[in-house]
Amino acid sequence: MNVLSGGKLKLIQAALRLITQSRSLTSLGLRELAREAGLNPNTFYRHFKNLDEFGLQVLGYIAEDMKAGVRELRRMAESSEQASHDTVTFVYHYFLANPAATTVAVRELHGPSALLRRALEAQLDASAREMAEDIIERRLVSAVPTETIHEISRMTIRYILFRAMDYIEKPAQRAMIQHETERFINRQFRGAMLDGLAESEVQALLEKDL
C-alpha cells in the first residue's frame, strides 16, 4: 500500500485489525489503538492531531494501492468489456484480501464524522474521474459523450462499493455478484451508445438481433 513507516504505519495497521462491522474509525480509543500497535499512547499525538486526521490518513492508505492497480489494468484493456471484467475482478479480489479496509470504506461513507464522509466522497469522485479519463484516453467507448462517461463512472464506483460487503460475506454468491457488476457496467455503456442513435437506427439494430 502507501509508503509509510514507524509509529504512523503501526497505528494505521492496528486500526485496520481492530475495525469490525459494528464500529467506525472515530469510535476507536487511543489506548486501544496504542496497545494493539505496541506503542505508548502518547505516540499517537506525535503523528496525528486528532482521530479525524488519523481517519483521513487511514482512508488515503487504503485507496492508493487499489487505485494504482486498477488504472494499470484499464490502460492495458483492448475493449470496454475487458476493462470492466479486469477492473471488477481486481477490485473484488482486493476487497476479499483486505476485508478490514473494505469495512472502513463502507462504514465511513455513512459514518458519524462529516470530515471523513467528505474525504471518502472525494476519493470516490477521484476514482470515478480516473476511470473516465482512462476510458476516454483508450477510446474504449468512443460513441459515448465525455460527460456521460463521467456520469457512468461515478455510478460504477458507488455500485461496486455497495456490493463489496456481500462479496466478502457470501462466498457462494461471489461469481454471481461479479457477473452482475460487470453486466451493470456494460449495460450502462451500451445504453449510452443507444442514446446517440436515431429511433430508426435503434430499431434496425433490434431487428438485426432477432
Side-chain angles (χ1 to χ4, degrees):
M1 286 185 176
N2 256 340
V3 180
L4 294 172
S5 60
K8 182 178 285 191
L9 178 61
K10 288 180 179 178
L11 286 164
I12 289 173
Q13 291 176 334
L16 292 177
R17 289 193 298 272
L18 289 169
I19 283 293
T20 66
Q21 290 186 53
S22 61
R23 305 179 70 183
S24 66
L25 278 172
T26 52
S27 74
L28 296 175
L30 296 188
R31 290 186 178 279
E32 180 184 26
L33 269 173
R35 184 169 57 251
E36 179 68 23
L39 300 171
N40 185 296
N42 293 330
T43 303
F44 181 90
Y45 289 107
R46 294 183 197 147
H47 300 291
F48 309 102
K49 293 178 182 178
N50 51 43
L51 280 170
D52 274 343
E53 184 179 282
F54 174 68
L56 291 175
Q57 187 73 66
V58 173
L59 292 178
Y61 177 82
I62 292 168
E64 200 60 37
D65 189 52
M66 185 172 68
K67 286 167 60 177
V70 168
R71 294 207 82 175
E72 185 64 26
L73 287 172
R74 282 198 300 260
R75 286 169 173 168
M76 293 189 297
E78 297 298 329
S79 67
S80 60
E81 287 80 7
Q82 182 188 345
S84 64
H85 172 75
D86 291 349
T87 297
V88 170
T89 299
F90 179 91
V91 172
Y92 279 145
H93 285 181
Y94 178 91
F95 287 160
L96 196 58
N98 299 275
T102 307
T103 299
V104 170
V106 171
R107 286 196 57 77
E108 296 307 329
L109 189 59
H110 304 286
S113 170
L115 180 64
L116 295 186
R117 290 198 304 271
R118 290 194 298 269
L120 187 52
E121 283 284 357
Q123 287 186 355
L124 293 176
D125 287 342
S127 295
R129 185 166 57 251
E130 290 171 0
M131 175 181 173
E133 289 170 354
D134 293 341
I135 290 170
I136 292 166
E137 180 182 332
R138 294 286 297 162
R139 299 182 63 81
L140 297 178
V141 285
S142 55
V144 179
T146 296
E147 61 271 20
T148 304
I149 293 175
H150 279 277
E151 179 184 349
I152 294 172
S153 296
R154 287 192 296 271
M155 289 191 296
T156 295
I157 294 298
R158 282 160 175 76
Y159 181 86
I160 290 174
L161 187 59
F162 173 74
R163 300 302 302 271
M165 295 311 299
D166 278 346
Y167 187 86
I168 292 171
E169 295 174 351
K170 300 175 181 178
Q173 296 183 24
R174 285 174 189 158
M176 180 189 72
I177 291 170
Q178 177 164 340
H179 175 69
E180 288 177 350
T181 304
E182 291 178 32
R183 189 168 56 184
F184 171 85
I185 298 169
N186 292 332
R187 281 177 172 173
Q188 295 300 317
F189 282 114
R190 287 170 186 157
M193 291 178 189
L194 293 178
D195 280 346
L197 299 178
E199 186 175 342
S200 58
E201 292 175 304
V202 174
Q203 188 61 38
L205 286 174
L206 293 173
E207 291 173 354
K208 182 179 178 181
D209 290 337
L210 294 177

